[in-house]
Amino acid sequence: KHGTRWVLGGSAFSPSSIITKRRAQTQAAVLAEEVGCSSSTNGEIVACLRQLPARVLNDAQTKLLAISGPFQYWGPVMDGVYLREPLAKALQRSQLRKVDLLIGSAQQDGLISRAKAIKKFEESQGRANSKTAFYQALQNSLGGEDSNKFIEDAATWYYSLEHSTDDYSSFSRALENATRDQFITCPIINMANHWAANSRGNVFMYHVPESSAQSLELLLDVQYAFGLPFYPKYEERFTLDEKRLSLQIMQYISNFVNSGNPNYPHSFSRRMSGLMPLWPMFLPNDDGDNYKEFTASLPTLKGLKKEDCSFWSDYIRRLKESTGEAVAFWLSLNHLKWTENDI
């Protein structure tokens, strides 16, 4: 009897894990207006949007990304009925049984490819060398519904400090790095830490570094895990080393599904499959942040994005707390003034 396993490419700790009902309605209305589906009733808007080809909706979203930031994402809505609380809060509750977790990220994540659409849109508008788009997109993506000017300024400084003032490509990369770290990679690491620290099950983490290997829309970890290098339509695009890597990754995942451990094919086994490199668990201590890098030699590395994630997990958290206290203090002072004036 198999236990419970999760294979995840995302995290409940990501700011993008859920959106509010208000935000979802606003985004739908803006998109509807952009594609000519404006109406006085929600039913008519939905019916109109459903009739449009996906290409039309994607093109409209590309334009909206450039105007409003790369993370005008669609996601689950915290409506108080089906989803009643933030996912990170739900994870704080005790769990009756353990769930083994295999979780990972990719440098060329799909959300990041959406951020790149900003540059294409700017080029089409004749603003290819402008850095304004970077700052605006970064601030919009970091601001969201709980915009905090202190956080926007801190992230802009952290990710653009070493960049020249006239190199658009540098600012574009900074935008990709900032949004990837905040929304994808660091939340994944936080979830691995939470899972391991609370003994919720075995935790194994991986990362796929940037690669120029394939231009297919699917991320490399998805391509390898589902054996795309062996599909007749695509196999000529992959090298022998990439096909070998795909076989090993498929074996790892198959083992994990069967035993809760990517190293062993069965729960009762202590013999590794073939000659694959050992994949050590992610552990909740300073030296336990192991992850498997999905490259030809499948090396085990440590400390994925440690400094960048410290910026978000430590510095930004303290900044939120301090600025929140400052705002609360300012409001209390003004409330006191208003009360004194009333008296």
Side-chain angles (χ1 to χ4, degrees):
K1 180 179 179 180
H2 298 327
T4 304
R5 334 280 188 216
W6 283 356
V7 181
L8 297 179
S11 169
F13 290 94
S14 174
S16 62
S17 59
I18 56 173
I19 59 177
T20 64
K21 185 176 181 179
R22 182 186 66 179
R23 178 173 179 177
Q25 291 173 334
T26 300
Q27 288 184 188
V30 171
L31 178 62
E33 183 175 356
E34 180 65 30
V35 296
C37 285
S38 297
S39 177
S40 58
T41 68
N42 291 337
E44 291 177 352
I45 290 176
V46 172
C48 180
L49 290 174
R50 284 176 173 168
Q51 292 177 356
L52 295 176
R55 177 185 55 78
V56 173
L57 295 176
N58 283 333
D59 289 346
Q61 277 292 87
T62 296
K63 179 179 178 181
L64 295 176
L65 291 176
I67 297 172
S68 305
F71 281 85
Q72 287 293 326
Y73 47 81
W74 301 90
V77 174
M78 196 167 66
D79 58 359
V81 179
Y82 293 100
L83 191 58
R84 301 184 180 183
E85 60 183 349
L87 300 181
K89 183 179 179 181
L91 283 177
Q92 303 302 319
R93 293 198 300 269
S94 59
Q95 188 170 300
L96 295 179
R97 61 176 178 175
K98 292 185 177 182
V99 177
D100 297 321
L101 179 66
L102 192 152
I103 191 167
S105 61
Q107 190 76 358
Q108 294 171 310
D109 192 276
L111 286 176
I112 302 308
S113 66
R114 300 190 70 195
K116 293 180 179 179
I118 294 176
K119 183 178 181 181
K120 293 180 181 179
F121 178 80
E122 289 295 308
E123 289 174 343
S124 70
Q125 303 300 307
R127 297 190 295 270
N129 295 319
S130 172
K131 69 177 182 180
T132 305
F134 160 72
Y135 281 117
Q136 190 61 54
L138 178 60
Q139 290 172 355
N140 285 333
S141 64
L142 296 175
E145 292 174 290
D146 302 316
S147 181
N148 186 321
K149 189 65 169 59
F150 294 102
I151 296 175
E152 293 172 4
D153 290 343
T156 300
W157 171 83
Y158 183 82
Y159 284 94
S160 64
L161 179 63
E162 299 178 356
H163 300 151
S164 63
T165 58
D166 57 355
D167 183 2
Y168 183 92
S169 62
S170 294
F171 286 98
S172 179
R173 286 194 299 273
L175 171 60
E176 294 172 27
N177 291 333
T179 48
R180 179 191 299 109
D181 291 347
Q182 187 201 10
F183 287 86
I184 303 167
T185 307
C186 297
I188 283 174
I189 296 171
N190 289 340
M191 186 161 177
N193 268 308
H194 172 83
W195 217 257
N198 290 275
S199 300
R200 288 175 172 262
N202 297 331
V203 181
F204 298 88
M205 192 170 76
Y206 71 85
H207 181 69
V208 187
E210 189 169 2
S211 171
S212 59
Q214 306 302 325
S215 59
L216 302 176
E217 290 186 4
L218 294 173
L219 295 178
L220 275 176
D221 53 341
V222 177
Q223 294 179 37
Y224 291 145
F226 286 91
L228 215 64
F230 301 98
Y231 280 52
K233 183 178 179 180
Y234 303 112
E235 61 179 349
E236 291 185 358
R237 301 190 187 188
F238 293 88
T239 66
L240 288 176
D241 284 341
E242 289 169 338
K243 291 180 178 180
R244 187 180 300 110
L245 177 61
S246 178
L247 284 174
Q248 291 177 306
I249 290 174
M250 285 191 287
Q251 184 66 65
Y252 275 138
I253 293 178
S254 175
N255 288 349
F256 178 80
V257 170
N258 279 287
S259 68
N261 189 316
N263 300 296
Y264 309 130
H266 304 288
S267 58
F268 53 81
S269 175
R270 287 297 178 267
R271 178 176 296 180
M272 290 184 58
S273 298
L275 299 175
M276 296 194 305
L278 176 68
W279 188 338
M281 283 195 296
F282 185 100
L283 302 172
N285 56 59
D286 292 339
D287 194 44
D289 50 359
N290 307 294
Y291 69 95
K292 183 64 68 178
E293 183 182 81
F294 281 3
T295 53
S297 60
L298 285 167
T300 295
L301 304 177
K302 293 179 179 291
L304 177 63
K305 287 279 186 177
K306 200 155 193 172
E307 292 183 358
D308 295 330
C309 291
S310 178
F311 171 79
W312 290 107
S313 300
D314 300 325
Y315 177 75
I316 291 299
R317 176 180 55 80
R318 291 196 295 269
L319 184 61
K320 283 181 178 180
E321 293 172 352
S322 61
T323 55
E325 291 171 358
V327 171
F329 180 69
W330 180 84
L331 290 174
S332 66
L333 285 179
N334 279 275
H335 177 72
L336 180 59
K337 292 179 181 177
W338 297 330
T339 304
E340 290 174 345
N341 290 335
D342 291 341
I343 294 175

